[in-house]
């Protein structure tokens, strides 16, 4: 950093002899510069001038480090300086501190612009691109462009680093792995920002070109919904005469249902952004109840959507029970509880008997009725005594009739013995169910 101008003047005014001493006595030149003078706006401005001149002449990272240290000291002094406040009544009044801070900020920006480039800039850029390559679903047209971009970058790295790189295949994961290996090699090469500037600049330019080319390659998400489905053969079942029917997607779903092929239907459910199509596809899955739909329906059911719960019941996979048990706990949504208990009854897991039996004491009579019918579907003899208590004690005939229906479904001698006492019940619907046992 250049010596601030005021100090240069003070140094140049020094001489030998009595005359110098007298001059010192007269002018006070031998007195130390006061803090007020050292932190004046003019002095600080001159120091900024010196830092700017040093920045113009800087050639190495060490030079820039020294200048940054000077700027840090200047920042502290600007904050500590007791500078005059601008006149609030004068809109054009200058603010010395703000002006100094602005200059300092500009110098810091220039300083950062002059730094580097560094090998870390290359490796960071490549790491980001590698993640995009591996995390993105590429189209058939987009993947070859990614392959070309990666191969070009690997070739450039091989030209500047003592190593060679190649992806094991054109799979996105292998391409990303090759980029990671090249980035590691650049990081391990010990490139110095002063001595290897040209090499680092060439690698950084190649990394930026790589990023641009990968960004420009066609991704799956760039396609419209229809283009995505078309690329996966969704419309292949349509003939020329029904392809024009509106909407063709719904016609395709109906054809796949007739064929008993759930995979394209699930693909449509995942892809369509249409409430109409979603509802119709879910209705289709209720009718089909394919095992292939379990994962998709289980995921949707966790949002407490009733239609996926219904489909899980039709599928009958016991893996859903733990999730569904949570939906009937407490006095939440009665409609959801009814659908869920029906689904648990259809699945038929013995693990569901106790959670469902507990709902025979629910406040809502419709929930109690659904619980009784679910126990009938489960068909477990442990439910006979709780259902007998419902027949005897429940105030709602609808619930009692459901309990009688459930005992008929269980169908053991003990269940029929309970029902025999209700063939002359006051409620016709209870009596009718009891007579079925007779």
């Amino acid at each position: 950093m250049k010596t601030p101008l005021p100090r240069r003047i003070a140094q140049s005014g020094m001489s030998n002899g009595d005359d110098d001493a007298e001059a010192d006595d007269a002018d006070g030149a031998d007195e130390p510069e006061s803090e007020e003078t050292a932190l004046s706006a003019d002095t600080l401005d001159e120091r900024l001038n010196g830092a700017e001149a040093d920045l113009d002449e800087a050639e190495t990272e060490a030079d820039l480090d020294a200048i940054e240290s000077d700027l840090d000291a200047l920042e502290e002094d600007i904050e500590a300086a007791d500078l005059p406040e601008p006149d609030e009544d004068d809109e054009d009044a200058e603010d010395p501190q703000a002006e100094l801070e602005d200059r300092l900020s500009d110098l810091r920006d220039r300083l950062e612009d002059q730094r580097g480039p560094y090998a870390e800039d290359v490796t960071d850029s490549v790491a980001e691109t590698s993640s995009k390559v591996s995390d993105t679903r590429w189209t058939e047209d987009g993947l070859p462009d990614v392959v070309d971009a990666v191969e070009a970058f690997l070739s450039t790295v091989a030209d500047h680093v003592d190593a060679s790189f190649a992806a094991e295949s054109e799979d996105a994961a292998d391409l990303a792995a090759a980029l990671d290996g090249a980035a590691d090699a650049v990081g391990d090469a010990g490139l110095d920002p002063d001595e290897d500037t040209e090499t680092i600049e060439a690698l950084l330019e190649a990394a930026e070109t790589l990023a641009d080319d990968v960004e420009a390659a066609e991704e799956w998400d760039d396609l419209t919904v229809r283009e995505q489905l078309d690329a996966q053969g969704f419309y292949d079942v349509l003939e020329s005469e029904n392809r024009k029917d509106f909407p063709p997607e719904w016609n395709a779903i109906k054809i796949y249902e007739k064929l008993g092929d759930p995979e394209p239907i699930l693909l449509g459910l995942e892809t369509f952004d249409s409430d109409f199509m979603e509802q119709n596809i879910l209705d289709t899955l209720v009718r089909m109840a394919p095992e292939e739909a379990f994962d998709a329906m289980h995921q949707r059911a966790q949002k407490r959507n009733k239609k996926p719960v219904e489909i899980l019941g039709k599928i009958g996979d016991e893996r859903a029970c733990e999730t569904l048990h949570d939906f009937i706990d407490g006095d939440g949504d009665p409609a959801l509880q009814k659908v869920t208990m029906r689904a648990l009854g259809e699945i038929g897991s013995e693990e569901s008997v106790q959670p469902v039996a507990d709902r025979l004491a629910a406040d809502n009579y419709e929930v109690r009725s659904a619980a009784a019918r679910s126990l009938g579907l489960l068909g477990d003899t442990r439910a006979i005594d709780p259902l007998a208590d419902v027949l005897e004690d429940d105030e709602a005939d609808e619930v009692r009739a459901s309990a009688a229906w459930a005992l008929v479904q269980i169908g053991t001698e003990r269940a029929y013995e309970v029902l025999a006492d209700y063939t002359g019940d006051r409620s016709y619907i209870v009596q009718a169910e009891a007579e079925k046992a007779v």
Side-chain angles (χ1 to χ4, degrees):
M1 177 177 173
K2 295 184 181 295
T3 305
L5 185 57
R7 293 188 181 178
R8 290 176 180 167
I9 294 174
Q11 291 170 356
S12 64
M14 294 177 65
S15 60
N16 295 324
D18 294 338
D19 292 341
D20 292 339
E22 291 176 0
D24 288 343
D25 291 340
D27 298 333
D30 60 344
E31 294 294 330
E33 188 175 19
S34 69
E35 183 176 353
E36 180 179 353
T37 302
L39 300 184
S40 69
D42 289 342
T43 302
L44 293 169
D45 193 59
E46 288 298 331
R47 289 170 61 187
L48 287 169
N49 288 339
E52 184 174 13
D54 291 342
L55 193 56
D56 290 336
E57 298 172 2
E59 295 180 352
T60 66
E61 290 291 316
D63 294 339
L64 297 175
D65 290 340
I67 295 170
E68 183 171 20
S69 178
D70 290 340
L71 294 180
D72 291 340
L74 265 166
E75 183 174 12
E76 293 179 2
D77 288 346
I78 291 173
E79 291 177 357
D82 185 15
L83 301 174
E85 297 287 339
D87 186 352
E88 296 181 358
D89 297 330
D90 185 357
E91 295 181 357
D92 298 327
E94 297 179 352
D95 184 346
Q97 183 159 356
E99 292 179 355
L100 292 169
E101 290 173 348
D102 288 344
R103 283 200 64 194
L104 178 65
S105 178
D106 290 342
L107 288 176
R108 286 196 184 279
D109 290 342
R110 281 189 54 194
L111 176 69
E112 290 306 313
D113 289 342
Q114 287 185 223
R115 285 194 179 279
Y118 304 107
E120 290 84 352
D121 298 331
V122 179
T123 57
D124 289 347
S125 177
V126 176
E128 185 175 346
T129 303
S130 173
S131 296
K132 181 173 179 62
V133 169
S134 60
D135 296 343
T136 301
R137 182 178 181 183
W138 303 100
T139 67
E140 292 184 1
D141 293 332
L143 184 58
D145 292 338
V146 175
V147 172
D148 291 344
V150 171
E151 289 179 347
F153 175 75
L154 296 178
S155 176
T156 300
V157 175
D159 290 341
H160 293 85
V161 178
D162 188 18
S164 61
F165 313 94
E168 293 185 4
S169 74
E170 294 186 353
D171 180 76
D174 289 336
L175 294 171
L179 289 177
D180 292 338
D184 290 341
V186 172
D188 295 339
L191 299 174
D192 184 88
D194 292 327
E195 297 178 2
D196 302 305
T197 302
E198 291 184 2
T199 298
I200 297 175
E201 286 177 345
L203 291 172
L204 184 58
E205 182 180 357
E208 291 171 348
T209 300
L210 168 70
D212 291 341
D213 290 346
V214 169
E215 184 65 31
E218 185 178 64
E219 305 176 24
W220 188 254
D221 290 342
D222 293 334
L223 302 179
T224 65
V225 169
R226 179 160 292 191
E227 288 172 337
Q228 291 179 6
L229 291 172
D230 199 23
Q232 296 173 94
F234 178 83
Y235 299 101
D236 291 352
V237 294
L238 295 177
E239 302 294 338
S240 57
E241 62 271 13
N242 58 19
R243 179 176 281 270
K244 296 180 181 179
D245 293 345
F246 184 82
E249 292 78 13
W250 179 226
N251 288 324
I253 293 295
K254 289 186 287 187
I255 294 173
Y256 285 122
E257 181 181 0
K258 291 179 181 178
L259 295 173
D261 186 356
E263 294 297 345
I265 297 174
L266 293 170
L267 173 62
L269 180 63
E270 177 185 347
T271 308
F272 293 130
D273 185 18
S274 162
D275 292 339
F276 169 81
M277 288 301 301
E278 178 180 8
Q279 187 59 47
N280 280 284
I281 289 175
L282 291 175
D283 289 341
T284 299
L285 292 174
V286 169
R287 295 189 294 270
M288 295 180 68
E291 294 182 1
E292 294 89 339
F294 175 81
D295 290 337
M297 293 305 103
H298 189 235
Q299 182 177 0
R300 286 171 175 260
Q302 292 181 50
K303 298 179 181 179
R304 297 178 181 260
N305 293 336
K306 290 186 274 295
K307 189 65 71 171
V309 171
E310 181 181 358
I311 296 169
L312 287 174
K314 303 296 183 185
I315 294 173
D317 192 320
E318 292 189 5
R319 289 178 296 167
C321 291
E322 183 176 356
T323 298
L324 298 183
H325 290 164
D326 290 340
F327 297 173
I328 63 172
D329 187 26
D331 293 319
D333 183 353
L336 175 63
Q337 292 204 37
K338 289 164 59 180
V339 170
T340 303
M341 283 189 283
R342 172 79 183 188
L344 288 170
E346 292 175 325
I347 293 171
S349 170
E350 64 179 19
E351 298 297 326
S352 299
V353 175
Q354 188 61 57
V356 172
D358 290 342
R359 304 311 295 142
L360 292 173
D363 292 336
N364 187 298
Y365 80 92
E366 291 183 335
V367 172
R368 300 198 304 274
S369 179
R373 288 185 171 272
S374 179
L375 290 171
L377 292 173
L378 287 166
D380 194 298
T381 56
R382 290 175 296 169
I384 293 176
D385 288 340
L387 290 169
D389 292 340
V390 169
L391 262 174
E392 181 177 355
D393 299 329
D394 204 284
E395 298 177 354
D397 287 342
E398 180 179 334
V399 178
R400 296 176 62 241
S402 293
W405 179 90
L407 289 168
V408 172
Q409 304 309 307
I410 292 173
T412 64
E413 183 177 352
R414 167 64 181 143
Y416 289 156
E417 288 176 355
V418 172
L419 288 168
D421 293 336
Y422 294 92
T423 55
D425 193 81
R426 67 180 188 276
S427 169
Y428 172 75
I429 56 176
V430 174
Q431 180 183 345
E433 293 296 343
E435 288 176 349
K436 292 178 182 178
V438 176

